[in-house]
Amino acid sequence: MIDFKKRLCKKLSENIPQLTEEEILVMIEIPPDTKMGDFAFPCFRLAKIFRNAPNAIANSIAENLDKGDFIDKIEIAGGYLNFFINKEYLVKAVLGEVLLKKEMFGGSLIGNGKNVVVEFSSPNIAKPFHIGHIRSTVIGNSLYKIYKFLGYNTIAINHLGDYGTQFGKLIVAFKNWGDEEEIRANPITTLLDLYVRFHREAETKPELEEESRQWFKKLENGDEEAIGLWKWFREVSLDEFNRVYNMLDITFDSFTGESFYSDKMPAVIDMMQNKGIMKKSEGADIVDLEPFGMPSALIRKGDGSTLYITRDLAAAIYRKETYDFYKNIYVVGSQQILHFQQLKKILHLMGLEWEKDCVHVPFGMVSLEDGTMSTREGRVVFLEDVLNKAVEKTKDIINEKNPNLENLEKIAKQVGIGAVIFEELSNNRTKDYTFTWDKILNFEGETGPYVQYTHARASSVLRKAETGIDKVFKSELLTDDITLEVLKGIQQFPEIVEDAQRKNEPSIITRHIVDVAQAFNRFYHEHSILVEDEELKKARLAVVFAVKQVLNTGLGLLGIQAPERM
Ligand code: ARG
C-alpha cells in the first residue's frame, strides 16, 4: 500500500475521533517545500473542538500517534503537524509496487461490476469534423480509458448528429444545386457548400425554409427519396469521420446517433403524456420548465416533427434499459449546459430517479483568431488538416535531428498526433481557448513530444542495460533528493488517476506526467545509470523502469502512443 496519505489519514483519525476520515483526508496538505516534510496537517480547525491552541493540540496528537513503519519523524510548527515519510520505506514500497503490477500500476478494481456509458465526439453528419469537435473527442476518449483502467465496464457511444431539420435543408439544397459527382469526390466540403448556400438563398427566398420543413417531415414519415438521400449523406460523412478516428486511434462501441431514436420517440412521448407533464402551446407540445427557472422545452412541433431534446430523452431511457448504467456521461461543450439541465429536469419529472446518474461533462469553447467558428459561414478549421500538418511538421523535425530513424512514418504519426491530443488535454477542460496554428504545432517545453521523448529516453537506457530488472535492490542507494523527487511522482500516480476520474478531468494526468518527466530528466542528467557498480546500476535501473511504466500508462490514458524510439 503506497498511498501514504490514506495511511496517514487512518492514523490521524484514530487520534481525532471528532473528525471523519473524509474530513481528515481533505485537510492533509503537501507542504510547498520538502524540508517541511512530505505531508502536513493543520490543527487550526481543531482549536474550537479541543478548546486549546493549535500548537498544543499538534503536540498532544504527535505524542499519542504511533508512527508505524512508514513515518520517520513528526515536527510541529506554526499550528501544523509535519510528517516525514521514512525514505527507504518509500523507495521500497513504491518501486516494489510498480515492479509487481507493471502496466496495471495505478489501475484498480473499484469500478468492477459497474457500467459506465461515455458519450463523446458526436459530430454532425454533412458538416465538417472541425477543431471544435476535437475537444469532445479527445476528452471523451481519455475519460473512457481512465474509467476502464479503474475497473469500470465502459461503453463508448458516438451520438451522431444524423437527424433533424437540417437534413430537410440539405435535401432541398441538393435538389436545387447539387452535383452527385462532386459530392462523391469531396463529400463534406461539397455538402457544407450546399448548406451554406441554402442559408444565403433562404434570406431572399423564405419559401425554401418551408420546403425544407416539408422534406424533414417526409424523412420522418419514411418517404423513400428522402431516406435514400439522407442515408447517402450519412454514409459519405461517416467515411470521412472514420478517417479521422483512425488517425486518432479511437474506436466506439456504438454509433447510435440521433436517427436511431426516431422510432423510439412515440413511446417516450406517451410516457410524458401519462405523467401529465406535457402541455399544448401554440399547437406544439412543451414541458413547462418555468417553475424551475428554465425556459420551457419544446418536445414536438405543431406538424408532429420532433426535436433534439426529444431524441436525447429517448436516448437516455434507451441507455438505461440497455446498459443499466452506473453513470451516463455526456462529453459535450458548455454551450449545451442548459440543454442538459432541461433534459435531467424532464427525466426527473417523469419519475426516473436514475436521472441523477446522468452527468454532463462540459468543456470550454474553441474560437479562431478572427472570431468564432461558423459552419454556416464556412469559417472552420478541419481537424484532419490539423492532424496532417502536425504529422508533416514532425517529419521535418525528425529528418533534421534523427535522419536514420526507422519507421519514420509511423513515429511521425504517433508524435504529431500525440502532440495535438496532449495540447488539447493540457488545460482544465472548462477553459475557453483560441485556436492558433503556432500553439498546436509547438513541440517545445511541456508538450506531448517532450513526455514521449522522455519515455523513449528511459526505453533506450533499459535497452542498453541488456539486463532484466531485478526486483531485489538496495533501497538505501536511492534516498537522495533528486531520486526521491522522481519516486514521489510515481507514488502519487494512482491517486492522480483516481482524482482525474472523480473530477472527469484528464488534464490532471497530463500535468502530472510532465512533472514526472521533468523529475526524471533531472535524475538522468545528475546520475549516471549504467555504472560499474552493479548494485547502484541495479537500483537506478529500477527507477528508470518505473518511470517508463508511469509515462507509458499516463500517455495511454490520454489516448497517446508512447514510441520506444524517436
Ligand atoms: N451533435 C451535437 C453537436 O455537434 C452534439 C451531441 C451531444 N450529445 C447529446 N446527447 N446531445 O453539437
Side-chain angles (χ1 to χ4, degrees):
M1 164 77 151
I2 58 161
D3 197 341
F4 297 115
K5 196 168 159 187
K6 278 206 188 115
R7 285 186 69 179
L8 178 61
C9 173
K10 275 227 159 60
K11 285 207 176 290
L12 281 166
S13 85
E14 285 162 16
N15 288 274
I16 318 170
Q18 291 86 344
L19 296 180
T20 65
E21 275 191 35
E22 288 79 50
E23 284 173 314
I24 294 175
L25 196 65
V26 294
M27 285 169 74
I28 298 175
E29 298 171 13
I30 301 207
D33 184 347
T34 47
K35 286 194 194 69
M36 293 154 72
D38 300 299
F39 295 102
F41 184 75
C43 295
F44 311 104
R45 260 184 68 188
L46 298 174
K48 254 212 186 110
I49 305 175
F50 290 105
R51 299 179 177 284
N52 206 343
N55 251 6
I57 298 168
N59 261 314
S60 93
I61 295 177
E63 261 166 40
N64 293 315
L65 195 129
D66 156 37
K67 293 213 274 289
D69 47 9
F70 73 106
I71 302 171
D72 215 12
K73 77 178 166 180
I74 306 176
E75 277 177 4
I76 290 145
Y80 274 92
L81 281 159
N82 291 329
F83 297 93
F84 294 79
I85 302 296
N86 180 295
K87 292 176 183 170
E88 272 180 50
Y89 187 88
L90 180 126
V91 172
K92 241 196 238 123
V94 173
L95 290 179
E97 184 137 323
V98 185
L99 292 175
L100 180 73
K101 294 195 174 160
K102 302 199 178 80
E103 62 281 352
M104 286 311 297
F105 174 73
S108 89
L109 303 173
I110 51 168
N112 265 9
K114 293 182 179 139
N115 296 343
V116 171
V117 170
V118 185
E119 184 219 284
F120 62 100
S121 198
S122 313
N124 297 325
I125 296 294
K127 298 243 190 96
F129 198 168
H130 59 67
I131 187 76
H133 289 119
I134 192 181
R135 305 213 73 196
S136 172
T137 308
V138 302
I139 294 169
N141 186 48
S142 176
L143 291 179
Y144 172 79
K145 289 182 188 279
I146 293 168
Y147 275 86
K148 212 173 190 148
F149 195 47
L150 296 179
Y152 294 92
N153 179 33
T154 320
I155 303 118
I157 295 189
N158 194 324
H159 187 76
L160 279 179
D162 59 359
Y163 220 57
T165 41
Q166 71 270 29
F167 290 96
K169 295 178 184 173
L170 210 54
I171 292 174
V172 171
F174 175 73
K175 288 180 77 76
N176 279 314
W177 319 291
D179 178 291
E180 207 176 313
E181 286 310 304
E182 225 180 307
I183 294 182
R184 283 198 198 289
N186 257 322
I188 304 261
T189 33
T190 313
L191 290 173
L192 175 64
D193 284 346
L194 283 173
Y195 189 68
V196 172
R197 175 144 181 207
F198 177 91
H199 284 278
R200 204 173 52 230
E201 305 250 351
E203 274 172 26
T204 52
K205 294 183 212 122
E207 65 276 13
L208 287 174
E209 294 280 359
E210 183 47 40
E211 241 178 84
S212 78
R213 265 191 290 278
Q214 277 164 14
W215 272 105
F216 179 56
K217 195 81 215 51
K218 282 193 191 175
L219 182 62
E220 286 213 293
N221 293 338
D223 175 272
E224 228 174 85
E225 185 182 5
I227 291 204
L229 283 171
W230 165 79
K231 266 202 178 134
W232 181 50
F233 296 151
R234 188 179 191 273
E235 226 167 80
V236 291
S237 306
L238 257 185
D239 285 346
E240 287 215 33
F241 297 163
N242 279 328
R243 223 165 47 222
V244 178
Y245 292 135
N246 279 338
M247 288 175 90
L248 289 167
D249 199 18
I250 288 180
T251 52
F252 293 90
D253 299 303
S254 162
F255 275 90
T256 40
E258 293 186 41
S259 67
F260 179 77
Y261 300 100
S262 58
D263 63 351
K264 297 174 182 56
M265 281 180 289
V268 174
I269 292 178
D270 280 352
M271 250 169 111
M272 293 162 85
Q273 253 148 1
N274 290 340
K275 287 276 167 191
I277 61 168
M278 290 234 284
K279 66 181 200 191
K280 284 273 176 213
S281 168
E282 296 169 27
D285 295 296
I286 66 158
V287 177
D288 182 8
L289 296 175
E290 305 277 343
F292 310 101
M294 287 178 232
S296 294
L298 183 56
I299 302 294
R300 186 166 55 182
K301 290 187 190 164
D303 66 2
S305 58
T306 57
L307 291 107
Y308 181 54
I309 196 160
T310 325
R311 295 187 277 279
D312 256 329
L313 286 164
I317 293 169
Y318 175 83
R319 285 180 200 168
K320 186 64 194 176
E321 282 168 0
T322 310
Y323 305 110
D324 191 21
F325 55 70
Y326 164 73
K327 288 270 182 278
N328 174 26
I329 296 174
Y330 297 89
V331 185
V332 183
S334 52
Q335 303 98 307
Q336 298 194 32
I337 288 179
L338 176 63
H339 167 78
F340 285 103
Q341 283 170 344
Q342 291 176 310
L343 179 68
K344 279 169 66 77
K345 186 50 90 183
I346 298 172
L347 292 169
H348 183 80
L349 293 173
M350 290 170 83
L352 303 168
E353 49 80 33
W354 48 259
E355 146 296 303
K356 64 177 186 343
D357 304 321
C358 296
V359 187
H360 177 208
V361 173
F363 52 83
M365 247 180 30
V366 187
S367 50
L368 301 178
E369 277 173 305
D370 52 356
T372 50
M373 248 178 307
S374 165
T375 306
R376 282 189 195 180
E377 287 164 35
R379 195 169 58 230
V380 287
V381 176
F382 284 76
L383 180 49
E384 195 173 7
D385 292 341
V386 174
L387 298 179
N388 279 330
K389 272 201 190 158
V391 174
E392 282 315 308
K393 175 165 171 182
T394 310
K395 265 192 219 163
D396 292 345
I397 297 176
I398 296 178
N399 275 328
E400 190 186 306
K401 292 195 175 160
N402 192 1
N404 299 321
L405 185 70
E406 278 173 44
N407 291 326
L408 170 82
E409 284 294 323
K410 184 170 163 212
I411 292 171
K413 267 201 189 123
Q414 292 175 323
V415 175
I417 291 171
V420 174
I421 300 176
F422 197 92
E423 165 64 25
E424 279 301 324
L425 297 177
S426 287
N427 293 317
N428 260 357
R429 63 177 155 73
T430 47
K431 256 173 89 174
D432 288 343
Y433 83 96
T434 306
F435 171 87
T436 63
W437 284 104
D438 280 350
K439 198 160 72 196
I440 205 101
L441 296 180
N442 171 28
F443 297 169
E444 307 284 324
E446 299 175 357
T447 60
Y450 170 75
V451 177
Q452 285 174 319
Y453 185 77
T454 309
H455 171 268
R457 169 175 273 171
S459 306
S460 146
V461 174
L462 294 174
R463 265 195 315 272
K464 282 193 199 123
E466 286 176 346
T467 57
I469 296 298
D470 199 334
K471 285 202 181 70
V472 188
F473 54 84
K474 292 190 172 149
S475 40
E476 64 268 29
L477 298 174
L478 300 173
T479 53
D480 62 286
D481 286 348
I482 290 175
T483 311
L484 280 179
E485 202 53 36
V486 179
L487 294 179
K488 277 186 197 160
I490 291 168
Q491 179 248 321
Q492 286 161 6
F493 186 66
E495 206 184 312
I496 289 285
V497 177
E498 272 184 37
D499 199 31
Q501 179 263 321
R502 250 193 319 269
K503 298 182 178 142
N504 291 314
E505 183 59 86
S507 68
I508 295 174
I509 295 177
T510 318
R511 282 196 294 266
H512 188 73
I513 59 176
V514 167
D515 289 346
V516 172
Q518 283 172 336
F520 175 71
N521 284 318
R522 269 192 300 277
F523 169 89
Y524 181 86
H525 290 297
E526 296 292 329
H527 295 319
S528 309
I529 298 162
L530 302 175
V531 287
E532 288 288 304
D533 180 342
E534 282 298 323
E535 285 303 328
L536 190 58
K537 176 164 120 184
K538 210 158 74 174
R540 288 190 174 153
L541 278 173
V543 177
V544 179
F545 177 86
V547 167
K548 172 176 150 82
Q549 188 57 64
V550 163
L551 296 183
N552 196 309
T553 306
L555 286 168
L557 291 175
L558 300 174
I560 299 173
Q561 312 215 356
E564 294 280 319
R565 297 166 206 258
M566 62 186 266

